Amino acid sequence: MENLKGKRIILGITGSIAAYKAAIIVRLLIKAGAEVQVVMTPAGKEFITPVTLSSLTGKPVVSEFFTANDGTWHSHVDLGLWADAMLIAPATASTIGKMANGIADNMLITCYLSCKAPVFVAPAMDLDMFAHPSTQRNIALLLSYGNHIIEPAVGELASHLHGKGRMEEPEIIVKSLNDYFKRQESFSKKKILITAGPTYEKIDPVRFIGNYSSGKMGFALAEACAQRGAEVVLITGPVSLKTDNPRIHRIDVESAQEMHDAAISVFESVDAAILCAAVADYRPENCAEQKMKRESVGDFTLSLVRNKDIAAALGQKKRSQQILVGFALESHSGLEQALNKMQRKKLDFIVLNSLQDEGAGFKVDTNKVTILEKNGKQTEYDLKSKKEVAADILDCLAGYLL
């Protein structure tokens, strides 16, 4: 657990019988060298006492906005700025609902809303509560905000029923935090090239050949890389998306040739490249200087020529320590096509998605991918938001960057 050393962790505790495990979580974090500040909901104090937790952390437990005897103000803003991570374990259905909907009626929720650091949530509740559509919707909202969910385990519950809802064991929860910081470290001081969006190949000044790519997958990857501490060069075709992270240097292009030239110029200086753009394979052989008029031109044949293959060009230039990641969007024979592409273009791994999978591909906020690695490993993922898919891809990349 060496990656937790020196880290400052807010531990949020809510009103669940699993709160007794929070003492073990505190001990494990302290033993790993972390500094822990406990923030409890009023209901949490019914299950484990602040005295116990304060003894373990060496810090007073924060629960109320004011200290009753002298009116001292506990600043949720200062706590949110202080932390390297916030862990809410156990997280009840009530607290998850308040987090998802911004109901700031206790100190823990205000800390959460002010927290600049990554937030980890370990749900704990009965199986029917966890499976309820409202709970699942709230968890999906938290994921969409960028929070990390530590899935509950299947086991015996406080109701003596058996099912999914039991808070994960402290050792696994603490390992999740340690693994996160380990992945962060692998991206620190790294420079990543990402291509995104479509390319437009002009027919005349107002018409083009293009595709349906929205750029959402590539932009999710860029944001996720920057959040992990990397410097990102994002080369994007024509999209309506914005970038906010100051670690992202954006280069806007239109055609495949422009994207090729930009990628070639940057590639030598990067540690890894993720080629997510849907680059047009062909372009018109000739582009009319003026808008073509139907009345004067009539029927015509459009002659197409092949564009340069960006992935293949970078694969030829790739140094041994550089990592090259490709994408394959296929309509049939996906595995065979992706494996062939990975070998031909000297990719370290490739992300396969299929037009046959509902909710995957262009113009949607979700994706369903399989990651194929050159060592033969294949990992298939369920349908997820593109933010979650980006995290899965970067978790794989992290192993190559270490």
Side-chain angles (χ1 to χ4, degrees), residues 244-390:
D244 297 317
N245 196 303
R247 290 195 181 97
I248 299 175
H249 172 59
R250 177 171 174 169
I251 301 174
D252 288 281
V253 299
E254 183 175 271
S255 68
Q257 183 65 51
E258 291 170 349
M259 185 170 284
H260 171 275
D261 293 346
I264 292 294
S265 68
V266 170
F267 185 62
E268 185 177 352
S269 67
V270 303
D271 299 287
I274 307 174
L275 307 180
C276 188
V279 182
D281 292 323
Y282 296 92
R283 71 180 186 276
E285 185 174 18
N286 298 298
C287 175
E289 294 183 2
Q290 303 294 330
K291 178 184 176 182
M292 294 187 296
K293 294 291 187 178
R294 178 174 49 190
E295 294 78 8
S296 57
V297 175
D299 295 339
F300 74 99
T301 299
L302 190 63
S303 178
L304 302 178
V305 295
R306 286 185 296 177
N307 277 320
K308 293 179 180 178
D309 189 325
I310 297 174
L314 297 186
Q316 291 297 322
K317 291 180 172 292
K318 184 167 87 81
R319 302 188 305 273
S320 60
Q321 69 270 30
Q322 285 181 303
I323 309 303
L324 190 58
V325 181
F327 271 70
L329 176 62
E330 304 295 345
S331 59
H332 65 284
S333 304
L335 284 173
E336 180 182 347
Q337 299 275 5
L339 288 170
N340 180 270
K341 183 176 181 179
M342 178 170 59
Q343 183 177 8
R344 285 188 292 107
K345 302 186 181 184
K346 299 183 180 180
L347 306 175
D348 293 281
F349 66 89
I350 191 166
V351 182
L352 168 65
N353 51 168
S354 173
L355 288 173
Q356 296 177 339
D357 290 325
E358 186 176 352
F362 293 141
K363 297 182 7 180
V364 292
D365 294 322
T366 55
N367 208 352
K368 185 177 186 295
V369 305
T370 299
I371 294 179
L372 311 173
E373 302 181 54
K374 65 180 180 182
N375 61 10
K377 183 179 179 182
Q378 297 184 11
T379 308
E380 186 174 349
Y381 298 87
D382 295 331
L383 184 71
K384 299 182 179 183
S385 71
K386 286 183 175 176
K387 285 185 178 180
E388 294 175 88
V389 173

